[in-house]
């Protein structure tokens, strides 16, 4: 049994999580991103954690990669009719989860207890772990000023150029014991092909997390979310360019730097192997585009094989 701890954002992270979750000889813990969380209609919504949970529970809308399959939007229609902003698409089944979470928070449960309970009830085999129980909020500075992450990502559809990122509350956030334990007891640490700047950095920058990763002797492997300098989905490439980074697998490798032992990059990026090796880390080419469950398990198996 190999204990794998995966650092993951939403859609890209969940695909990688599904790959490891499906392997019999793996005990998977996923540390998810909570910095995209936000309140809508008085309810606490945790998009990346929910994408992980819905994916691992087999409830995800596969066509979208997020949200629940077989969903309706009657609650949102009523909110719209009553004059609320409804740019954040929340389905009826999804609303049920947000109502549960918000109520449990009011009753004094921690965010990680709630996430673990939901995962267990939904039949998720792997552990879904929050990096902190404190509130950390990604904020995005654009020409017009600061936006919350969901305002930038969903309402503005990632169109404005990103001038600066900030993780409000991160300095005083405390890591959860579960996250530190998942890191210190792992046989293998994997950074999922998630947005390095707004999915992985808000996990890494929680005080104590980076130090725990540095302290463990387990191999640390990151999968590039950029294939041939392009994203599969989302704004990571434009964000990296706007913030002065190279928008390709080499840029991702440089960004993670010493934290990572090996980069897994796509076969299409074979030309970047040597420049990545020159950074003092390993570089391996694989088929990294995950469309089917076979793609996901094949990539997870290849990553496991790398460190055995
Ligand atoms: P978000 O929080 O929902 O945006 O999701 P993540 O941060 O986890 O994932 C977004 C990143 O995942 C994007 O940069 C995509 O390019 C990358 N991504 C999505 N699917 C795949 C895939 O199948 N393979 C690889 N290599 N990257 C992917």
């Amino acid at each position: 049994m190999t204990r794998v701890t995966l650092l993951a954002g939403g859609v890209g992270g969940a695909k990688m999580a599904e790959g490891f979750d499906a392997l019999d000889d793996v005990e998977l813990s996923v540390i998810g991103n909570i910095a995209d969380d936000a309140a809508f209609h008085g309810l606490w919504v945790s998009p990346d954690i929910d994408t992980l949970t819905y994916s691992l529970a087999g409830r995800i809308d596969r066509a979208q990669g997020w949200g629940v399959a077989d969903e309706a939007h009657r609650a949102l229609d009523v909110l719209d009719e009553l004059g609320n902003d409804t740019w954040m698409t929340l389905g009826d089944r999804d609303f049920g989860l947000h109502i549960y979470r918000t109520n449990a928070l009011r009753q004094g449960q921690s965010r990680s207890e709630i996430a673990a309970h939901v995962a267990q009830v939904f039949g998720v085999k792997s552990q879904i772990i929050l990096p902190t129980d404190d509130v950390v909020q990604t904020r995005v500075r654009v020409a017009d000023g600061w936006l919350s992450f969901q305002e930038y990502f969903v309402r503005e559809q990632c169109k404005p150029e990103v001038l600066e990122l900030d993780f409000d509350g991160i300095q005083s956030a405390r890591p959860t014991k579960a996250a530190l334990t998942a890191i210190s007891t792992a046989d293998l640490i994997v950074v999922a092909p998630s947005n390095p700047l707004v999915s992985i950095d808000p996990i890494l920058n929680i005080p104590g997390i980076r130090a725990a990763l540095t302290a463990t002797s387990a191999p640390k492997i990151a999968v590039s979310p950029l294939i041939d300098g392009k994203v599969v989905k989302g704004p990571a490439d434009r964000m990296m360019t706007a913030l002065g980074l190279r928008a390709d697998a080499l840029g991702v490798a440089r960004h993670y730097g010493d934290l990572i032992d090996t980069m897994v990059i796509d076969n299409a990026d074979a030309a970047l192997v040597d420049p990545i090796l020159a950074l003092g880390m390993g570089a391996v080419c694989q088929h990294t585009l995950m469309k089917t469950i076979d793609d996901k398990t094949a990539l997870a198996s290849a990553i496991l094989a790398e460190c055995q």
Side-chain angles (χ1 to χ4, degrees), residues 95-117:
F95 261 117
L97 175 54
H98 307 319
I99 292 167
Y100 173 81
R101 174 188 291 118
T102 306
N103 206 25
L105 278 170
R106 275 201 203 111
Q107 288 166 355
Q109 287 187 48
S110 72
R111 288 178 167 78
S112 30
E113 282 169 333
I114 298 165
H117 179 70

Side-chain angles (χ1 to χ4, degrees), residues 12 35 84 139 149 168 183-184 223 234 247:
N84 278 23
R139 300 184 317 138
F149 184 75
D168 195 29
I183 293 169
S184 66
V223 183

